[in-house]
Amino acid sequence: MKKVDVILGLQWGDEGKGKVVDVLTPRYEVVARFQGGPNAGHTLEFNGEKYVLRSIPSGIFQGGKTNIIGNGVVIDAVLFREEAEALAASGHDLTKQLCISKKAHLILPTHRMLDAAYEAAKGSAKIGTTGKGIGPTYTDKVSRNGMRVGDLLSPDFESIYAAAKARHEKILKSLDYQYDIAELEKQWFEAVKYLRRFHIIDSEYFVNDCLSQDKSVLAEGAQGTLLDVDFGSYPFVTSSNTVCAGVCTGLGVAPNRIGEVFGIFKAYCTRVGSGPFPTELFDETGERLCDIGHEFGAVTGRRRRCGWLDMVALKYSIMVNGVTQLIMMKSDVMNDFDTIRVATAYEIGGRTTSEFPYEITGDLRPVYTEFEGWKCDLRRYGSYEEFPEAFKRYVEFIERQTGVPVEIPVDDPVALRQLRQLRRQAGAVACGLPNRQSRNEVCFYAVSPSRGRAWGGADSRTRRNAATTAVKEGKGFNI
């Protein structure tokens, strides 16, 4: 029986998961979202057009794949319809490719109002939510008052909705929050009719049946590990479990059915919204990271806060997720930096620790290790030998610190065997770099003493053949 492979972000989100998922999906028959809502987006480029996926799995661009929105996801029917219709206009028939769990919860118009009301009531202590109604929807879920996708099939649908709306209106009145949902409510009911066109399924049975039939399944998360409601920088977190354990509860699969866990992280750190950020830079360096890295939210457009790589947080994320493979993104953003820093410990109240604390307070100070910058365009190089020594020192330091043996999944079985042989000789860190032609197509270099190299992007026979030849010659491999 197959196992579910998982792809996760290891920081505060925006690590580039969508691009990596798009590279990996040719290997898989099923791609599933297991948590979150439309408050996070994956930006992908397909046939020269950019798309932001907020609720729909990234495998939707791969023809013939089954895509699942799992029970751990919350769905806004209005935003879902907008997203689905935009994809349909590009030639993707989602009604044939996309299945939705009956147990996924619905974001109601009043959930959005509650989100805004709660934030307004917090004043300066606000969390910095996207205002999409995610938190109130999960609140209804755990308080057993939620409305689920399966309720759309019930003859009592309208009365279920009315009861939920009435509960919300009482809360809004108590908060003295003024609102008008007439237009939004009209759009929501129209969007609900659209939602009924899709396959609404018992997703836990569907996913486990796929595994029993030896079908390959990839589970993708939405937000990063450090936004997990239990293990993130609480209370400045999202409202669901973004870690690997969330796959079990968000799709209905047993822990022993989890396979590879791909951990995605940037060569530096970013965060959107409020909340602690130990390595945040408030100077010109932070501005440079933001501008060169195009660090703006895919859904909200908000400018991302930027800082140095936080090794304490990264090792914590690897631990709680059981990461088996690392992929580092956007190292080329620092091509022109003279000095690069990595936080390897925290000083808290005069004590030095390498553990991620229960609470990140104002007296926390990161302890940095400095590296000489590589001062060149990494995209110019075609082999490991050509990479500057400064860059190799940076990558190999990360590998030593994390202790995670890293490999990149390869579409070609011959290349995969070769890669695993290389991995037995020495671990490799995968570094995602933008393609020379497009910042939205990812190139992967498998960096190791064995000097592997990999290009990622469109799945093509030409690339697979070239990759197989390269591996046989000891030069590299292709995704």
Side-chain angles (χ1 to χ4, degrees):
M1 181 185 286
K2 289 276 190 180
K3 294 190 175 185
V4 177
D5 290 344
V6 184
I7 185 165
L8 299 160
L10 300 180
Q11 295 160 316
W12 278 283
D14 309 307
E15 299 92 350
K17 296 180 292 296
K19 297 180 181 67
V20 179
V21 170
D22 199 39
V23 171
L24 294 182
T25 45
R27 292 187 61 208
Y28 296 91
E29 296 165 272
V30 179
V31 181
R33 267 280 301 274
F34 66 88
Q35 54 78 216
N39 54 338
H42 294 158
T43 303
L44 301 176
E45 185 167 316
F46 185 80
N47 288 342
E49 296 290 330
K50 286 186 180 180
Y51 298 91
V52 177
L53 301 181
R54 296 173 296 204
S55 299
I56 296 170
S58 302
I60 203 70
F61 293 109
Q62 304 290 338
K65 309 291 181 183
T66 299
N67 292 265
I68 300 171
I69 297 177
N71 61 276
V73 178
V74 294
I75 301 172
D76 183 319
V78 175
L79 296 179
F80 172 83
R81 181 181 183 179
E82 290 175 3
E83 184 178 346
E85 287 183 338
L87 291 170
S90 67
H92 297 85
D93 188 353
L94 270 65
T95 57
K96 294 180 180 179
Q97 294 177 261
L98 181 63
C99 301
I100 303 171
S101 174
K102 289 179 183 177
K103 293 183 173 68
H105 279 246
L106 290 167
I107 301 172
L108 310 186
T110 42
H111 280 133
R112 289 204 205 180
M113 301 302 108
L114 285 169
D115 205 349
Y118 289 144
E119 281 287 88
K122 288 184 175 75
S124 61
K126 65 181 181 179
I127 302 297
T129 75
T130 58
K132 306 289 187 187
I134 311 298
T137 305
Y138 277 112
T139 298
D140 273 1
K141 176 178 179 176
V142 297
S143 66
R144 303 179 299 279
N145 287 311
M147 187 172 184
R148 301 185 292 177
V149 171
D151 292 329
L152 302 181
L153 309 178
S154 170
D156 299 323
F157 161 69
E158 290 189 5
S159 62
I160 295 171
Y161 173 82
K165 178 183 175 182
R167 284 194 303 272
H168 297 163
E169 287 177 330
K170 287 182 181 179
I171 299 171
L172 289 164
K173 184 178 180 180
S174 71
L175 293 169
D176 195 26
Y177 188 78
Q178 303 300 313
Y179 63 96
D180 181 2
I181 62 167
E183 181 58 32
L184 179 59
E185 192 172 44
K186 179 183 177 183
Q187 294 174 10
W188 190 83
F189 276 102
E190 291 173 352
V192 159
K193 293 178 182 177
Y194 179 80
L195 196 59
R196 289 191 180 105
R197 299 182 191 177
F198 290 82
H199 298 292
I200 297 176
I201 62 170
D202 294 304
S203 57
E204 63 273 33
Y205 281 105
F206 187 94
V207 172
N208 281 283
D209 285 346
C210 287
L211 296 174
S212 298
Q213 296 167 27
D214 225 26
K215 291 184 178 180
S216 52
V217 180
L218 179 66
E220 63 167 323
Q223 292 87 6
T225 295
L226 299 178
L227 293 176
D228 183 272
V229 69
D230 285 300
F231 298 104
S233 51
Y234 191 89
F236 298 94
V237 292
T238 193
S239 304
S240 58
N241 287 116
T242 64
V243 297
C244 187
V247 177
C248 299
T249 57
L251 290 179
V253 295
N256 64 354
R257 296 266 62 86
I258 301 297
E260 297 289 346
V261 181
F262 304 106
I264 315 302
F265 70 103
K266 284 176 182 169
Y268 51 97
C269 278
T270 62
R271 178 165 195 167
V272 170
S274 305
F277 185 179
T279 62
E280 184 173 8
L281 294 168
F282 300 95
D283 56 10
E284 182 185 349
T285 302
E287 291 297 312
R288 287 180 66 195
L289 286 170
C290 183
D291 293 338
I292 298 172
H294 305 289
E295 296 295 353
F296 298 90
V299 171
T300 64
R302 289 187 292 180
R303 190 179 184 88
R304 295 171 185 149
R305 301 152 61 192
C306 297
W308 297 119
L309 179 63
D310 188 334
M311 191 60 65
V312 177
L314 182 61
K315 290 194 290 186
Y316 173 77
S317 294
I318 291 169
M319 176 186 71
V320 297
N321 285 303
V323 172
T324 60
Q325 303 184 40
L326 283 173
I327 300 176
M328 182 171 75
M329 305 296 289
K330 302 183 80 166
S331 51
D332 69 308
V333 169
M334 300 187 292
N335 278 346
D336 295 325
F337 283 39
D338 294 318
T339 302
I340 294 167
R341 308 177 82 190
V342 177
T344 52
Y346 298 152
E347 284 186 0
I348 307 173
R351 183 177 63 90
T352 300
T353 180
S354 59
E355 295 185 356
F356 196 73
Y358 165 77
E359 186 178 23
I360 299 176
T361 55
D363 64 341
L364 184 151
R365 297 290 181 268
V367 178
Y368 287 108
T369 298
E370 289 195 353
F371 294 85
E372 175 191 358
W374 38 90
K375 301 290 289 183
C376 61
D377 187 349
L378 295 174
R379 294 169 294 178
R380 291 165 40 198
Y381 302 109
S383 68
Y384 187 81
E385 291 91 339
E386 296 174 2
F387 280 130
E389 290 300 319
F391 178 67
K392 289 189 277 189
R393 282 194 294 271
Y394 186 74
V395 171
E396 290 164 10
F397 173 80
I398 293 170
E399 184 179 22
R400 287 194 304 272
Q401 286 283 309
T402 60
V404 179
V406 179
E407 63 186 40
I408 300 176
V410 179
D411 194 43
D412 184 271
V414 175
L416 180 57
R417 286 195 296 272
Q418 290 287 336
L419 175 58
R420 285 177 173 160
Q421 184 177 358
L422 291 177
R423 218 280 269 116
R424 282 193 292 271
Q425 296 170 9
V429 173
C431 303
L433 303 175
N435 184 285
R436 288 186 179 89
Q437 287 75 36
S438 169
R439 293 195 66 87
N440 291 291
E441 185 174 357
V442 178
C443 303
F444 286 100
Y445 294 79
V447 181
S448 75
S450 301
R451 278 82 166 164
R453 176 189 175 189
W455 290 85
D459 181 34
S460 69
R461 185 179 301 276
T462 301
R463 284 187 177 177
R464 286 200 304 273
N465 291 343
T468 304
T469 302
V471 169
K472 289 178 180 177
E473 294 176 354
K475 297 176 181 177
F477 56 93
N478 187 21
I479 293 179

